[in-house]
Amino acid sequence: MSKIHVTTSVNGDAVEFLCDPRETLLDVLRDRLGLTGAKEGCGTGDCGACTITLDGRVVCSCLVLGAEAEGREVGTIEGIANGEELHPLQRKFIEHAALQCGICTPGILVATKALLEKNPDPTETEVRYWLAGNLCRCTGYDKIIRAVMDTAAELRSESKELS
Amino acid sequence: MSLDDVKTTGFKYVGTSPDRPDGLDKVTGRAKFGADAYAPGMLHGAIARSPHAHARIISIDTSKAEALEGVKAIVTRADFRDDLRGDHWNVLENVMAGDTALYDGHAVAAVAATSVLVARDAAKLIEVTYETLPHVTDVDEAMADGAPVIRAGTADKSVPEGLHPNVVRYHESGHGDVEAGFAEADLIIEDHFRTEATHQGYIEPHACLATLGGDGKGDLWCCTQGHWNVQKICSSLLGLETSQLRVTASEIGGGFGGKTVVFIEPVALALSRKTNRPVKIVMSRSEVFRASGPTASTSMDVRIGMKKDGTITAAKGVFRLQGGAFPGAPMEFTAMCAFAPYNLKHVKQIGYDVMSNRPKQAAYRAPGSPMGAFAVESVIDELCNKLGLDPIEVRLKNASREGTRASFGPTFQRVGLVETLEAAKAHPHYSAPLKPGQGRGISCGFWFNFGGETSVSLALSMDGTVQIVVGTPDIGGSRASMALMAAEELGIPYENIRCTIADTASLGYNEVSHGSRVTYASGLATIKAARDAVKKLCGRAAAKWGIDPEAVDWVDGCAVPSGPNAGDFDPMPIAQICKSMGRTGGPIVGHFEASPEGAGVSFATHIVDAEVDPETGKTSVVRYTVVQDAGKAIHPAYVEGQYQGGAAQGIGWALNEEYVYGKDGRLQNDVFLDYRIPVASDLPMIDTVIVEVPNPGHPHGVRGVGETSICPPLAAIANAVSAAAGVRLHELPMNPPRILAALARRD
Ligand code: FES
Ligand code: FES
């Protein structure tokens, strides 16, 4: 079966790859591009471990074909930190012990970063519903929610200081 | 301080919650989990599985699959050892079917190919001819006369005569005379309870990368809770010498007991041996549900007698556990834990291990205990309701304490049940008002905890920093706990210590990360290894000073002359001793190897408020408090995390999660959409209270914390739901249809 040639951008870098028409974007990222931060927990869009952004929108990369990345902007967990400096969410997740095994963490970070960009002042309920597509089996979500709320508060006070 | 000293107060590092050492890796996506390994020349494996619950395998035709471009090898049972017996034969039989497929999803063949897609296509082209056989998947049906026999002759000597051949093990324990005890009761309640099988639901599917050559030497990378166990079993199944197979544990994306066994690892090794290339296998979620190790399902009868004042006069339980097509359902744990929280004069518990056409059960967090607690604590709740007694007072009145003869035999040492009950009683949650439609439930729970083979090594670097090497995979932050305990002993900052999980070539045998043993056993070994290193450090200082090594103390990371030499020399810091270690006797390494037996049992009490919607039958947990004895919380934030995680899994088990088998014996819900684990919007914050009643068997007082947290939730939630609904629920999960049926029964 002949492969498809795809030109795209991943975390701001220009990327080209060849993929099978049936191959998911998740498999392309992991197996062809070496970006194994996104995880496959289910392959059916139910767990959120594979969460990435596509043109800024949160998607399950297991439900996107590699070929669909053509001309789009892909964002993954590997692109969240700014060089040495962690994104505040990453820092707060460590501080709040918001991960145990950590397999859900990349997906949850990508999803919550998008949330805070959209809604800098979410309620607990809004955070819980935003994350309803990201399964975590270890933590009971308590510390995850607290880490997100605390990050949001910190980002708000920073942006207040700036303005 | 003597090497055996127990320290339970005055900690500097233990009891703080610093950032975990693997935090950065895990928030940036660079931590390497099971499926994140790749090797040059690597092939991908896929497994062909039985679509039938029970079927004789007549033939396997691989010709079409082999003809597919990119297919490199196919293996079947013939590619494994044929002379195994006992436990390892059972493992092999589960890993790859012999002449009979025993459950929906049972592996029958596997293929290695140049890509995942080709491997999956090829697996579909493997043609298996089956002769279907009658099947049974329900525990009570599997024990009944006329049920299809899964494997004749499996029952061991414990099983009384006259039982169905699917009953393969039997357990009986207790003491006193239960009939005499029941005669003393003012009220006796007996009820029947059932729980469905659930799955651990770790988010990371099983994954491995195997390399094995014709020379019998191999390397295996996999997500596992215990790589020495994987090494032992895989080498046995493939006929290798154990030491020739080196196993490395990846970061592990959850296990909860489900990664204590092997499924795909021997298959990947067999494919690698046949192709002489590395082979990677990653299970799909559907394979995880169909063919890894869910829990047992249960059918239970519990009878308890109580006096008007709340004294329990006698208790009896019968616990039947279906554990799939192999022996091993943890019915003795169910039986032994069920009444453990109570000081009973007359108690008897009976367990049945029953085979059926389901996947072989595996451990799930305190295996067996939550189900027994569900039945027993429901009956106690009902007795309290009928006698108008406060459920915490009744439990306090009957609670197991130091010196109590446990329902399962031994006499308890210092235990913390009473402390958890007192803390629950004092918690504002217990006295908070409830809204209409809400109910409150409480429950106690018990788990043994465990020691097992443990080996740790602790090496000092030239700059006085420390590397600890342990052999227990870190599932929930244990590397941080090890570093904290070592920091405490060595008197050096937490940040100066790095803890690594070693591969099987680097340490002696380490028992699996299960039984809540890691912080207990690897922690104990880390502390003893640190004390061993301290002794050597003191020896180097003593030699330098020309004094007796016994006259050197270790204080805040320095050797200090003591006794007659006190004050004679300046304290010598660890970095100074280490800098010259090459010249003063060579590298300084502390180590410890043993099978510690002082694991401390642990108890918990949970309080739950639930709200039931009478229109839809949907239940919401609106408030949840976990109170549990940790012995000593080394890293309190991760202890809280264990409490919260156990409670959340318990909520799922109580309300939603279940294996649904169709009449055809096939699993109906093999994806997360249909097997619904709790999501963030289903849960409230989960409050925690850490009680600390030190375990005398650990140098810092640690008991295990990982498992006990899932013991009380099923019952606590059932008690809350029953209170809210005004009718007793006897069957899990308490999903909307069951609640609606119960409400209809009530009205
Ligand atoms: S792997 Fe994509 S949602 Fe689970
Ligand atoms: S931390 Fe393990 S699944 Fe979330």
Side-chain angles (χ1 to χ4, degrees):
Chain A
M1 202 178 299
S2 65
K3 295 211 161 36
I4 300 175
H5 176 257
V6 177
T7 307
T8 185
S9 126
V10 180
N11 299 327
D13 295 333
V15 168
E16 285 177 71
F17 58 83
L18 292 175
C19 71
D20 186 289
R22 295 186 293 166
E23 215 169 321
T24 66
L25 180 53
L26 175 61
D27 284 343
V28 168
L29 287 169
R30 293 176 50 83
D31 298 345
R32 297 193 184 274
L33 305 180
L35 294 171
T36 54
K39 308 297 179 192
E40 178 167 318
C42 68
T44 50
D46 300 315
C47 79
C50 64
T51 303
I52 61 158
T53 56
L54 201 55
D55 291 342
R57 263 194 68 195
V58 173
V59 296
C60 294
S61 61
C62 71
L63 297 184
V64 178
L65 290 171
E68 291 178 88
E70 175 68 37
R72 316 282 286 275
E73 280 178 23
V74 176
T76 72
I77 182 68
E78 287 89 348
I80 282 191
N82 181 10
E84 212 183 340
E85 193 191 334
L86 293 182
H87 185 279
L89 273 168
Q90 293 174 307
R91 198 163 27 79
K92 289 284 180 196
F93 265 59
I94 299 176
E95 264 173 47
H96 281 265
L99 52 141
Q100 279 177 34
C101 77
I103 193 88
C104 66
T105 311
I108 289 183
L109 287 169
V110 170
T112 44
K113 177 170 174 277
L115 166 68
L116 298 188
E117 280 161 8
K118 242 173 117 96
N119 178 0
D121 193 5
T123 63
E124 182 194 326
T125 306
E126 284 171 333
V127 176
R128 286 187 181 275
Y129 276 90
W130 183 269
L131 286 181
N134 289 84
L135 301 180
C136 173
R137 190 59 157 173
C138 298
T139 63
Y141 305 102
D142 184 299
K143 292 183 190 305
I144 293 176
I145 305 299
R146 287 177 204 276
V148 175
M149 301 294 283
D150 189 24
T151 312
E154 183 184 289
L155 288 173
R156 286 196 305 275
S157 72
E158 271 169 20
S159 67
K160 219 181 265 160
E161 273 162 33
L162 285 179
S163 59
Chain B
M1 186 185 281
S2 110
L3 274 189
D4 293 321
D5 269 357
V6 173
K7 173 186 169 97
T8 55
T9 52
F11 291 109
K12 184 170 176 189
Y13 300 102
V14 161
T16 63
S17 295
D19 291 353
R20 64 196 283 160
D22 53 329
L24 188 98
D25 283 351
K26 287 188 172 162
V27 299
T28 54
R30 73 184 188 204
K32 277 180 79 178
F33 290 86
D36 299 337
Y38 297 79
M42 181 179 92
L43 300 172
H44 296 266
I47 296 178
R49 298 182 180 277
S50 167
H52 303 295
H54 199 191
R56 195 157 295 131
I57 298 168
I58 306 295
S59 65
I60 302 177
D61 179 355
T62 59
S63 54
K64 282 194 188 135
E66 271 164 298
L68 194 68
E69 196 184 327
V71 170
K72 298 295 175 189
I74 290 174
V75 295
T76 61
R77 179 64 173 269
D79 294 276
F80 296 88
R81 259 176 78 179
D82 60 3
D83 58 346
L84 290 170
R85 284 160 200 281
D87 288 350
H88 287 190
W89 181 84
N90 271 308
V91 176
L92 177 57
E93 182 77 359
N94 190 32
V95 160
M96 189 62 71
D99 48 19
T100 309
L102 296 165
Y103 56 90
D104 166 37
H106 200 170
V108 293
V111 49
T114 48
S115 77
V116 183
L117 292 170
V118 173
R120 286 192 195 143
D121 288 346
K124 286 186 202 139
L125 291 175
I126 295 174
E127 291 176 326
V128 185
T129 311
Y130 294 100
E131 176 198 332
T132 57
L133 301 168
H135 65 269
V136 61
T137 55
D138 178 84
V139 58
D140 290 320
E141 288 171 19
M143 291 177 79
D145 285 348
V149 176
I150 312 302
R151 195 190 319 135
T154 306
D156 72 12
K157 290 194 181 66
S158 64
V159 181
E161 294 224 347
L163 291 172
H164 190 282
N166 289 341
V167 179
V168 290
R169 294 183 315 123
Y170 175 84
H171 167 92
E172 196 178 310
S173 58
H175 54 251
D177 175 352
V178 284
E179 291 317 318
F182 285 125
E184 289 169 32
D186 292 316
L187 180 64
I188 297 171
I189 292 184
E190 175 164 2
D191 246 324
H192 180 63
F193 298 87
R194 284 172 63 89
T195 64
E196 234 326 320
T198 54
H199 194 275
Q200 300 83 356
Y202 33 82
I203 305 301
E204 179 199 34
H206 299 263
C208 68
L209 173 58
T211 310
L212 180 60
D215 58 357
K217 292 185 176 41
D219 281 283
L220 178 66
W221 159 277
C222 60
C223 56
T224 175
Q225 290 175 244
H227 38 313
W228 274 267
N229 185 50
V230 171
Q231 179 195 39
K232 182 174 72 187
I233 292 178
C234 288
S235 55
S236 167
L237 267 48
L238 287 136
L240 309 173
E241 284 172 23
T242 309
S243 302
Q244 298 300 335
L245 178 63
R246 184 174 66 118
V247 184
T248 306
S250 70
E251 291 293 340
I252 175 170
F256 315 108
K259 290 178 183 165
T260 54
V261 282
V262 306
F263 299 107
I264 53 175
E265 296 82 356
V267 180
L269 283 164
L271 286 167
S272 177
R273 179 163 62 187
K274 212 161 180 176
T275 55
N276 221 352
R277 288 169 70 168
V279 174
K280 177 171 173 175
I281 299 184
V282 181
M283 271 196 185
S284 69
R285 178 54 54 182
S286 160
E287 287 180 290
V288 172
F289 278 120
R290 287 168 71 208
S292 64
T295 67
S297 62
T298 69
S299 155
M300 307 175 283
D301 291 290
V302 168
R303 178 178 166 89
I304 299 177
M306 194 178 272
K307 285 198 172 140
K308 282 200 186 92
D309 70 353
T311 308
I312 299 176
T313 61
K316 185 179 172 189
V318 179
F319 307 96
R320 305 166 200 91
L321 273 72
Q322 164 287 128
F326 298 86
M331 51 83 183
E332 58 277 79
F333 293 159
T334 309
M336 290 162 82
C337 294
F339 299 109
Y342 304 110
N343 180 6
L344 302 171
K345 234 159 91 190
H346 308 291
V347 59
K348 183 169 183 171
Q349 50 250 338
I350 291 170
Y352 296 91
D353 176 2
V354 185
M355 297 210 322
S356 82
N357 293 111
R358 294 199 190 197
K360 177 175 166 50
Q361 63 77 37
Y364 180 18
R365 220 169 188 159
S369 178
M371 304 85 132
F374 164 58
V376 168
E377 299 281 322
S378 293
V379 173
I380 291 179
D381 195 60
E382 202 59 35
L383 284 160
C384 293
N385 290 345
K386 292 253 157 67
L387 293 172
L389 299 169
D390 177 84
I392 290 192
E393 294 301 341
V394 164
R395 285 171 172 85
L396 274 169
K397 194 176 190 90
N398 296 285
S400 290
R401 301 157 194 261
E402 184 169 3
T404 297
R405 182 170 178 203
S407 55
F408 56 90
T411 299
F412 283 124
Q413 292 190 314
R414 188 84 180 81
V415 292
L417 175 59
V418 168
E419 287 79 354
T420 69
L421 283 161
E422 295 286 2
K425 193 166 84 173
H427 196 282
H429 183 173
Y430 193 58
S431 46
L434 287 165
K435 294 207 185 89
Q438 296 183 346
R440 177 164 299 146
I442 76 137
S443 171
C444 296
F446 165 83
W447 183 244
F448 309 97
N449 299 326
F450 185 59
E453 296 95 324
T454 313
S455 162
V456 164
S457 140
L458 183 151
L460 288 117
S461 302
M462 235 78 95
D463 59 358
T465 61
V466 169
Q467 328 175 113
I468 310 172
V469 185
V470 305
T472 38
D474 176 355
I475 313 186
S478 61
R479 274 166 290 194
S481 306
M482 299 306 141
L484 282 167
M485 286 182 266
E488 193 68 49
E489 293 294 325
L490 296 166
I492 62 171
Y494 167 80
E495 292 73 21
N496 289 7
I497 299 171
R498 179 163 184 177
C499 178
T500 305
I501 313 300
D503 62 47
T504 54
S506 311
L507 279 179
Y509 190 92
N510 275 275
E511 175 62 60
V512 177
S513 293
H514 68 160
S516 299
R517 67 178 288 276
V518 174
T519 316
Y520 166 68
S522 280
L524 178 146
T526 298
I527 291 165
K528 301 252 175 169
R531 290 180 185 178
D532 185 33
V534 162
K535 204 167 151 196
K536 291 169 181 165
L537 287 160
C538 290
R540 299 288 168 99
K544 171 112 182 168
W545 290 328
I547 63 174
D548 183 1
E550 295 300 313
V552 178
D553 279 349
W554 190 258
V555 182
D556 283 340
C558 298
V560 183
S562 70
N565 305 100
D568 288 358
F569 308 98
D570 286 341
M572 196 183 289
I574 190 168
Q576 193 184 329
I577 303 173
C578 290
K579 197 170 156 196
S580 59
M581 65 186 168
R583 285 177 275 118
T584 59
I588 302 175
V589 181
H591 59 100
F592 183 80
E593 298 81 23
S595 296
E597 282 174 359
V601 302
S602 92
F603 290 96
T605 302
H606 290 195
I607 316 171
V608 187
D609 295 351
E611 191 170 295
V612 173
D613 180 341
E615 296 295 314
T616 62
K618 181 179 184 294
T619 297
S620 316
V621 172
V622 291
R623 187 166 181 185
Y624 203 111
T625 303
V626 177
V627 186
Q628 186 178 319
D629 177 17
K632 176 71 201 171
I634 301 296
H635 188 296
Y638 283 112
V639 171
E640 289 168 11
Q642 290 297 319
Y643 289 7
Q644 293 164 333
Q649 287 185 319
I651 292 171
W653 196 337
L655 297 179
N656 283 315
E657 297 176 32
E658 66 177 317
Y659 265 47
V660 181
Y661 279 93
K663 284 214 175 0
D664 57 1
R666 298 175 68 175
L667 184 64
Q668 306 285 296
N669 56 336
D670 63 348
V671 291
F672 273 137
L673 188 65
D674 301 324
Y675 182 98
R676 194 174 179 287
I677 72 172
V679 305
S681 52
D682 293 333
L683 299 181
M685 290 298 189
I686 297 169
D687 203 357
T688 56
V689 179
I690 300 175
V691 168
E692 294 185 323
V693 176
N695 166 24
H698 182 278
H700 291 166
V702 166
R703 298 176 194 273
V705 297
E707 293 172 290
T708 308
S709 54
I710 204 170
C711 302
L714 312 188
I717 296 161
N719 291 340
V721 169
S722 299
V727 54
R728 175 63 48 186
L729 276 297
H730 296 103
E731 200 167 338
L732 300 186
M734 296 175 286
N735 52 26
R738 281 214 178 98
I739 301 257
L740 289 177
L743 289 173
R745 229 177 22 244
R746 179 196 66 183
D747 298 331

